[in-house]
Amino acid sequence: MSAITPLRDENLQRRLHAAIAQVNKVLLGKARQVKLAFTCLVAGGHLLLEDVPGVGKTTLAHALAASFALEFQRVQFTSDLLPSDIIGVSMYERETGQFRFHPGPLFAGLLLADEINRATPKTQSALLEAMAERQVTVDGQTHTLPEPFFVVATQNPLDLAGTFPLPDSQLDRFMLRVSLDYPDASAERELLTGSDRRDLLTHLTPQLDATCLTLLHRQIQTITASPALLDYLQALLAASRRHPDIRVGLSPRAGLSLLAAARAWAMLSDRGHVLPEDIQALFVPLAAHRLVASRGASGDALARTLLSEVAVD
């Protein structure tokens, strides 16, 4: 696949919107979820898709990779999956008398970790260093992952048999958790009468590439976040740490992720500054999976409670 020449900012923005439109043609009726996924990718985060089977999680991952010309790898997580099956192994070569590292599927632009909670905690933890540091260590040797590196993980919240819940430390590595949910009636009718989604995926064309994505990462750093906006963000973080129904509040990493995602959301909305509405649009998908309740409430309910209790000054 040929590289795409980096473009000026306005053209880069136009290509980004073209990529979003392309994905929306494949994943019908999910414009908000698609925008959240692009926000996560542009902000340099990782995405957790939690939903029932068959609503388009794999389709979304494929479409993102195709739109950005990223090398795509899929790993089906199972209870017998080993860390080396993901990371790779060092193998002895008789010809050279040395060990040579053979990279696993982790070394891709976009890795789909399908049903991640079916693997054992040991295998799940194999992703931690990769997601946080963009590198892996095997036999004392550090191997740098390609840039960009993006993990899309899926899990089914309803089928709990044979699953291992993700630890808090790993959940904190996912910038956003998104649920696609069932399509509405009009979108479902178009799915029933239209082309097969697999056929549509084969016709997707790259709108940007890895170089353009790097430029977008840099561009979001120029999006302005005013002191008043940062006050609001910090107030939400502080409220999560002192709320009586929350045992573990939001970490500083969560705050940095919220700011990066808000800047990306603003850029996707064709603005050069972050608004409180950007924080509010992202707060539940960013915070809900990180909040640990003390009284059994759901993370989504707690996140919405925080939004309602913290005023915008």
Side-chain angles (χ1 to χ4, degrees), residues 44-223:
H46 304 290
L47 181 65
L48 179 62
L49 299 175
E50 186 176 83
D51 219 320
V52 297
V55 293
K57 299 187 293 295
T58 302
T59 299
L60 174 58
H62 272 287
L64 286 172
S67 295
F68 283 92
L70 298 174
E71 181 186 352
F72 178 84
Q73 291 284 354
R74 175 181 179 175
V75 177
Q76 183 66 46
F77 278 60
T78 58
S79 58
D80 58 351
L81 191 73
L82 299 175
S84 58
D85 295 329
I86 306 169
I87 298 173
V89 295
S90 292
M91 299 182 65
Y92 181 75
E93 294 185 339
R94 288 168 42 180
E95 295 81 2
T96 62
Q98 296 179 335
F99 283 90
R100 180 184 175 189
F101 178 67
H102 293 260
L106 187 65
F107 288 79
L110 191 149
L111 172 70
L112 174 59
D114 211 4
E115 295 187 302
I116 188 173
N117 55 338
R118 289 197 177 279
T120 62
K122 182 177 182 180
T123 301
Q124 290 176 6
S125 66
L127 283 175
L128 278 175
E129 182 185 9
M131 293 174 68
E133 307 295 337
R134 263 63 173 183
Q135 65 181 33
V136 294
T137 304
V138 180
D139 298 330
Q141 296 293 319
T142 298
H143 303 276
T144 303
L145 293 170
E147 285 289 349
F149 171 68
F150 187 50
V151 174
V152 176
T154 73
Q155 62 176 359
N156 180 1
L158 301 180
D159 184 8
L160 301 179
T163 61
F164 301 88
L166 296 178
D168 296 341
S169 59
Q170 184 146 12
L171 286 172
D172 197 36
R173 261 62 175 193
F174 288 101
M175 178 175 281
L176 300 179
R177 186 192 67 178
V178 175
S179 174
L180 295 181
D181 207 355
Y182 294 110
D184 59 28
S186 60
E188 190 161 33
R189 177 59 64 91
E190 190 171 348
L191 283 170
L192 292 171
T193 58
S195 301
D196 190 294
R197 300 298 101 180
R198 290 171 294 185
D199 293 335
L200 292 179
L201 285 172
T202 62
H203 292 92
L204 294 183
T205 57
Q207 302 297 321
L208 304 114
D209 65 358
T211 301
C212 296
L213 189 52
T214 300
L215 293 176
L216 289 170
H217 289 333
R218 295 173 184 167
Q219 189 171 311
I220 68 168
Q221 301 304 317
T222 67
I223 304 296

